[in-house]
């Protein structure tokens, strides 16, 4: 059994990734809003796991946001 075979048996139901300080300067879906390299790396790793659900932990809103939800920043 290879490590990839093992993932097939341990597919996660939920993966939570951090938001990022680098963002677009206009409203966008949460999946598109965060542009920093750390967030993008976390998202790529999470998507490779093929979870049932992927959420972003928002520091500003102190909660979880779904990547396809519209996300508007208020300053």
């Amino acid at each position: 059994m290879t490590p990839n075979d093992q993932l097939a048996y341990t597919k996660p139901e939920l993966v939570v990734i951090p938001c990022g300080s680098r963002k677009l300067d206009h409203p966008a879906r949460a999946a598109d809003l965060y542009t920093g390299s750390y967030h993008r790396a976390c998202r790529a790793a999470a998507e490779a796991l093929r979870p049932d659900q992927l959420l972003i932990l928002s520091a500003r809103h102190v909660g979880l946001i779904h990547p396809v939800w519209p996300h508007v920043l208020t300053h």
Side-chain angles (χ1 to χ4, degrees):
M1 180 182 309
T2 68
N4 287 338
D5 292 337
Q6 189 174 6
L7 283 177
Y9 299 107
T10 59
K11 179 180 172 186
E13 292 180 28
L14 172 66
V15 174
V16 178
I17 60 172
C19 62
S21 60
R22 291 183 55 197
K23 302 170 189 66
L24 297 174
D25 61 356
H26 58 276
R29 295 179 330 137
D32 302 323
L33 182 70
Y34 301 104
T35 60
S37 60
Y38 183 69
H39 172 79
R40 288 183 293 140
C42 289
R43 183 159 174 209
E47 288 175 347
L49 295 172
R50 300 179 61 208
D52 293 332
Q53 188 168 19
L54 171 66
L55 297 176
I56 301 169
L57 179 60
S58 171
R60 177 176 294 240
H61 299 286
V62 191
L64 298 171
I65 53 178
H66 194 280
V68 297
W69 290 348
H71 199 54
V72 179
L73 295 177
T74 56
H75 297 280

